[in-house]
Amino acid sequence: MPVTTQLLVGGRIYSSFAPDATSMAVTDGVVSWVGDDRAARALHPGADVVDLGGAFVTPAFVDTHVHVTALGLNIVGLDLVGVGSLRECLDRLASFARTHSDAVIWGHGWDESAWPEGAGPTTTQLDEAAPGRTVYLSRIDVHSAVCSTALRRSVPDLSETSGFSSEGPLTFEAHHAARTVARSLLTAGQRSAARVAALDAIASRGIVAVHECGGPDIAGLDDFRELLATPHGVEVRGYWGEAVTDADEARKLLDATGAHALGGDLFIDGSLGSHTAWLSEPYADLDGGTGKSYLGVDEIAAHVRACTIAGIQAGFHVIGDAAVRAAVDAFAVVADELGGPAVAAAGHRLEHAEMMTGDDAARLAQWGVIASVQPAFDALWGGTDGLYAQRLGTERAVTLNPFAAAASAGVSLALSSDAPVTPVEPWAMLRAAVHHRTPGSGISPRAAFSAATRGAWRAGGVRDGLAGTLAPGAPASYAVWDAGELVVSAPKDSVQRWSTDPRSRVPALPRLEDDAPTPVLLRSVHRGSVVHER
């Protein structure tokens, strides 16, 4: 086939290789040249020329932690994100039940922490709002759910299962059992429609690749395989959360699932909102409770050891401080046995790591462990008056999601949404990472953008130094934005590490203040192929 070159001119190109660039050439899906318009036209006389009209071109985003089908079910089904009261939640359920005859009413996103009633829905209230229907409504963190009587009756031995509540949300194993039954009632058509809706929405946000964090208790193996086989321009890299004990078992599980790695939502603990995160000290609003561990140090170490020997990336879901410390202690065991370089070579991950201490970060950094973090968690629940303060008290709450401290200790960060837990909105995600609700914990716009592009590719095992950049030789995975003013900003409350003078040739980004307009996506391209066009 003949070599084809497309030449983008008249724009603003985000590239450390050429910070003042206005033009970029793409040849057969690869960035082949970056520079100014005059040289571009002279060097590429036969190229297909695209006038950007002043648009801003960046590396496309990558989201390192999503649940595609669950996100899609929210788009096409009962979306409870942002519901402002218990009454509104129940009214929305009743309205949905009247207009939908599906075997299961699957809803997601309620968050009682700011409701005037101060409590979430009960089973009796679901039965009244949707009489006789099978209803599954997951809390926003997806670590608990309230279920109707019809659903509860379909779950074997539910009342004898850990996490059972006769009226309130189900947690722990009781929640997993109810979710499995509810999931089985979704048709293949529902799942397919949900996946396509989610991937289309993701593409429309300038994201060209996602890491699906699946597992037995999340969406199941059938859904995971169906997703990986779904044709779409957005690349899906599968992470399967199931523990193994030896290298042969790890290799067989990877082959059986089609996964890229054995990590993601491999639960060490749950979430703070559902009181299931594993803490070293009790919850402030729960008499004596410290959550629960799904895996102990020995089991975590066995999984890390097996994956390291097999050359497979491992990872875990960790939120509470006791969970993070268990993971750190397990990595230490394996590093002592196999050597730190062997562990670092695998690029293992921790998801969330919200209560990581400075000592934890320093130890994780020496073993090359990557943190896949969610800045929107802090925006939603951080500060001195949010959910974290309710659950932990102010003193502990303000230490959560220490992005700056982790990065300073040498931990590589990758940013993600955990959709549908938080929306797929990359620029809002960057804004949250920069404007952290705890002074000193935010990172610079430049660092945040890197963690959502280069860092995200690295978290997925791509370590060529080019993915996530717009430099010659990099894959042509980029987004074109209608953006306003571009600026070079330093961290607002920490040491400045580069000049903000325009003459410094540091590439500029859109303003990320709350009053700044959000860039509008015009086109996203992955490896030279258009994924979305406005």
Side-chain angles (χ1 to χ4, degrees):
M1 291 178 60
V3 174
T4 59
T5 295
Q6 185 178 68
L7 186 64
L8 285 65
V9 300
R12 298 172 290 175
I13 314 296
Y14 184 87
S15 175
S16 298
F17 174 79
D20 299 323
T22 57
S23 178
M24 180 174 76
V26 174
T27 303
D28 287 352
V30 176
V31 176
S32 54
W33 188 87
V34 182
D36 67 84
D37 284 5
R38 180 179 297 181
R41 293 180 183 275
L43 291 169
H44 305 90
D48 174 22
V49 177
V50 176
D51 190 343
L52 294 168
F56 181 46
V57 181
T58 70
F61 290 110
V62 176
D63 193 321
T64 61
H65 192 122
V66 301
H67 306 283
V68 170
T69 303
L71 171 61
L73 289 170
N74 243 34
I75 294 171
V76 303
L78 179 54
D79 181 2
L80 300 174
V81 174
V83 166
S85 68
L86 173 59
R87 184 70 265 160
E88 183 184 350
C89 175
L90 295 172
D91 288 347
R92 194 172 292 190
L93 168 61
S95 176
F96 190 89
R98 286 192 296 270
T99 56
H100 294 75
S101 59
D102 302 329
V104 58
I105 297 176
W106 182 289
H108 162 77
W110 60 272
D111 181 358
E112 84 296 348
S113 62
W115 286 359
E117 297 90 348
T122 65
T123 292
T124 296
Q125 289 168 331
L126 297 195
D127 292 343
E128 292 170 349
R133 300 293 296 276
T134 299
V135 181
Y136 169 87
L137 303 183
S138 57
R139 194 182 181 280
I140 191 168
D141 53 34
V142 204
H143 285 272
S144 61
V146 62
C147 305
S148 68
T149 298
L151 175 55
R152 286 167 173 266
R153 286 173 176 165
S154 301
V155 183
D157 303 317
L158 180 62
S159 63
E160 309 301 320
T161 306
S162 173
F164 171 78
S165 168
S166 60
E167 276 289 321
L170 303 175
T171 59
F172 303 126
E173 283 79 5
H175 172 230
H176 294 160
R179 184 178 177 89
T180 297
V181 171
R183 190 175 68 226
S184 71
L185 299 174
L186 295 168
T187 67
Q190 283 177 292
R191 296 196 305 269
S192 177
R195 282 192 290 271
V196 173
L199 292 171
D200 287 348
I202 287 166
S204 73
R205 302 301 193 271
I207 298 168
V208 299
V210 295
H211 298 175
E212 166 71 11
C213 292
D217 297 319
I218 300 168
L221 186 54
D222 287 346
D223 179 80
F224 188 76
R225 287 171 170 160
E226 289 166 1
L227 172 61
L228 296 183
T230 299
H232 200 281
V234 173
E235 178 181 338
V236 178
R237 199 164 281 229
Y239 282 70
W240 184 251
E242 188 173 353
V244 296
T245 57
D246 62 62
D248 285 342
E249 184 184 0
R251 296 185 188 99
K252 290 176 182 177
L253 183 59
L254 200 73
D255 290 342
T257 59
H260 165 72
L262 299 179
D265 269 339
L266 175 49
F267 298 124
I268 293 178
D269 68 343
S271 73
L272 293 166
S274 291
H275 291 108
T276 55
W278 182 20
L279 306 181
S280 59
E281 299 292 335
Y283 284 89
D285 61 348
L286 192 66
D287 187 21
T290 57
K292 179 179 176 178
S293 63
Y294 293 105
L295 298 171
V297 172
D298 290 346
E299 295 161 299
I300 300 165
H303 185 75
V304 173
R305 181 187 301 109
C307 290
T308 301
I309 293 171
I312 296 169
Q313 187 182 35
F316 304 90
H317 163 115
V318 292
I319 286 184
D321 58 341
V324 176
R325 181 51 54 89
V328 171
D329 289 347
F331 277 113
V333 169
V334 179
D336 286 345
E337 294 176 6
L338 304 179
V343 174
H348 300 310
R349 287 169 47 162
L350 291 182
E351 311 296 318
H352 318 308
E354 292 196 77
M355 297 183 74
M356 173 173 33
T357 67
D359 180 60
D360 294 333
R363 296 172 73 191
L364 292 169
Q366 66 184 101
W367 305 315
V369 178
I370 298 162
S372 170
V373 299
Q374 297 71 40
F377 285 7
D378 176 72
L380 281 173
W381 304 310
T384 59
D385 57 355
L387 171 72
Y388 295 151
Q390 293 176 23
R391 295 290 186 267
L392 303 173
T394 302
E395 186 175 345
R396 281 188 290 176
V398 297
T399 66
L400 265 64
N401 298 297
F403 304 143
S408 295
V411 175
S412 178
L413 300 180
L415 303 190
S416 63
S417 65
D418 197 8
V421 176
T422 73
V424 181
E425 297 289 354
W427 292 106
M429 178 178 71
L430 266 59
R431 186 176 293 117
V434 173
H435 300 288
H436 200 289
R437 296 183 67 181
T438 298
S441 288
I443 54 179
S444 72
R446 185 185 184 192
F449 187 81
S450 177
T453 51
R454 292 183 67 180
W457 281 112
R458 185 175 184 275
V462 182
R463 301 185 178 191
D464 59 9
L466 289 171
T469 73
L470 297 180
S477 297
Y478 62 90
V480 182
W481 307 90
D482 179 0
E485 177 189 8
L486 302 182
V487 297
V488 177
S489 301
K492 65 177 183 178
D493 50 19
S494 59
V495 176
Q496 179 177 318
R497 291 180 178 159
W498 54 80
S499 172
T500 57
D501 189 309
R503 295 169 295 181
S504 66
R505 292 178 58 78
V506 173
L509 285 164
R511 291 176 54 238
L512 294 176
E513 285 73 22
D514 289 340
D515 63 345
T518 300
V520 175
L521 182 70
L522 303 177
R523 185 184 311 114
S524 55
V525 176
H526 186 35
R527 303 188 192 280
S529 297
V530 175
V531 174
H532 177 85
E533 191 147 22
R534 190 179 181 204

